[in-house]
Amino acid sequence: MTPASTGASSTLGAASSVPASPSDSRMTPGGPGYGRMSLALFLAGVATFALLYSTQALLPLISGDFGVSASEASWTVAAATGGLALFVIPMSALSERFGRRTVMTASLAVAVAVAVLIPFAPSLTALVALRAVQGAALAGVPAAATAYLAEEVRPKALITAIGLFVAGNSVGGMSGRVLTGWIAQEWGWRVALGALGLVAVAAAVVFRLLLPAPRHFTSGSLRPKVLAATVRGHLSDPLLRRLYAIGALFMTVFGGVYTVIGYRLTEAPFSLPQGVVGSIFLVYLVGTVAASTAGRLVGRLGRRGALYLAGGTTASGLLLSLADRLPLVLLGLVLITAGFFAGHAVASSAVSKTATTGRAQASALYQSAYYVGSSAGSTVGAMAFHAGGWGGTVGVGLLAVLGVVGITVAGTRAAARTAAAHTADRTAARTADRTASRGAAAKAA
């Protein structure tokens, strides 16, 4: 891959592609600043996912309050993820110019300010509009976070550091839904979203206080031609294209399942109260473990092996969730969550390792595809539920998993062809060398 230079990223990307030297001043586990950095980005992930999906567990209540269907209420989720998908690339460009920490701080500040306004939305239209603004603001966090890690953390520790950030996403998604579920059961969805907004404010403040100042960032250019050339370069790389598609498809499954699950569990035969439905999202803790151990999984199975395992786990969970027994549904959600977070951590870290220049844009393209998948999953999953019940939503998820497996198979075959070509080239080179040696020996004789 030969994308155009974006300034700092090209230099730092090159530095990241070689083994760390003893004088490498980037952070490493146990070293100065690593603990503060990990906690700060963990909290950023918590705030981002808690706010981004804040209405998801409350959709049945929002539907009842505004008198709308599940597919209409699902736009409060799709608008936020769609806003993030649309703005993540521009935010990544701003992070190249003004710095990763600055962009993340500004993004969280705007997002939590909107969170304070959301509980007062007078209509579904106003709520959807505010959520779109909030999603656009949050785009700066994923756009800049992985680029910050790629620049400030040694290569061998990168997948672990990204796994911790993704783990923060899972904790945020879980805690936000559990908190809002129980508060909404007593005081309604508006109070629940207000309380979540205050929690996000606290997380944003602590994040800014803890995150170390960048030491390896160099300001780049905001020239549109440079940005466009970088994006074209990344999109021309077959491996990156496959990783982007995998992220989108995994998130299609996840977005559809967790947008609709509240409706399923509040209806017969389960008829669970809102607080209990919110507590179902405790299974996100499984995602925290799966994301944080993704590095060891790749070490044992390789990237493609880990993706096969993640896809198979997700599909097994989808099939189990078809049962009308609550324990089997919960087990299905556990498997779906574990498979999704493992696959996401593997794919997102592979993007950071593959892109040797313009890492912010490479990560932004992944995030854009990822959240397009979330928006599609939320909308299509809700439509499928409206048309065919939970089985319709599961069918959409299984098609997405089949896409993940197909893309990974294509990647496996492409890698095999590349390896065979390299072997043939080396064999031809050795043959040519032997022929030249024999010719030289004959002349000498």
Side-chain angles (χ1 to χ4, degrees), residues 202-413:
V205 170
V206 178
F207 157 80
R208 183 60 180 82
L209 293 174
L210 287 180
L211 189 67
R215 300 178 59 189
H216 300 274
F217 171 77
T218 303
S219 179
S221 172
L222 280 177
R223 289 177 296 171
K225 288 184 178 180
V226 174
L227 175 61
T230 303
V231 170
R232 284 196 304 270
H234 292 322
L235 291 177
S236 69
D237 186 304
L239 174 55
L240 286 177
R241 289 200 302 268
R242 289 194 294 269
L243 293 171
Y244 297 153
I246 286 170
L249 290 168
F250 266 124
M251 196 55 169
T252 298
V253 180
F254 201 66
V257 165
Y258 279 102
T259 294
V260 174
I261 192 64
Y263 290 98
R264 189 190 185 204
L265 294 179
T266 55
E267 295 176 355
F270 305 108
S271 303
L272 299 179
Q274 186 63 47
V276 175
V277 171
S279 297
I280 296 299
F281 291 90
L282 284 168
V283 298
Y284 264 49
L285 291 172
V286 176
T288 304
V289 175
S292 60
T293 58
R296 292 197 293 273
L297 190 64
V298 172
R300 292 179 180 179
L301 303 177
R303 182 178 67 244
R304 287 183 291 275
L307 289 173
Y308 285 131
L309 180 60
T313 302
T314 303
S316 299
L318 286 167
L319 293 172
L320 268 178
S321 72
L322 289 168
D324 285 335
R325 295 176 58 190
L326 187 59
L328 291 179
V329 173
L330 294 179
L331 178 58
L333 290 176
V334 166
L335 294 177
I336 292 167
T337 304
F340 161 72
F341 275 104
H344 169 41
V346 171
S348 61
S349 61
V351 168
S352 294
K353 285 190 172 184
T354 301
T356 56
T357 63
R359 276 200 172 94
Q361 282 72 46
S363 175
L365 284 168
Y366 176 84
Q367 296 293 337
S368 182
Y370 176 81
Y371 286 109
V372 164
S374 178
S375 295
S378 298
T379 304
V380 177
M383 292 171 64
F385 180 76
H386 181 73
W390 181 251
T393 303
V394 168
V396 170
L398 289 173
L399 285 175
V401 172
L402 184 62
V404 169
V405 173
I407 291 168
T408 307
V409 168
T412 301
R413 290 177 176 174

Side-chain angles (χ1 to χ4, degrees), residues 22 114 129 151 217:
V114 174
E151 292 165 352
F217 171 77

Side-chain angles (χ1 to χ4, degrees), residues 27-120:
M27 289 181 280
T28 189
Y34 186 87
R36 289 177 55 208
M37 177 275 297
S38 297
L39 179 57
L41 289 178
F42 180 85
L43 290 174
V46 167
T48 298
F49 249 51
L51 293 176
L52 191 63
Y53 293 98
S54 59
T55 62
Q56 198 172 57
L58 307 175
L59 291 179
L61 296 180
I62 293 172
S63 289
D65 191 12
F66 291 122
V68 297
S69 66
S71 58
E72 291 173 300
S74 71
W75 279 103
T76 63
V77 179
T81 54
L84 191 151
L86 185 62
F87 278 84
V88 69
I89 293 177
M91 287 291 192
S92 74
L94 291 176
S95 80
E96 293 279 9
R97 177 66 180 85
F98 299 106
R100 321 301 186 194
R101 188 171 70 161
T102 298
V103 168
M104 286 189 283
T105 300
S107 293
L108 286 174
V110 174
V112 298
V114 174
V116 175
L117 298 176
I118 281 177
F120 303 100

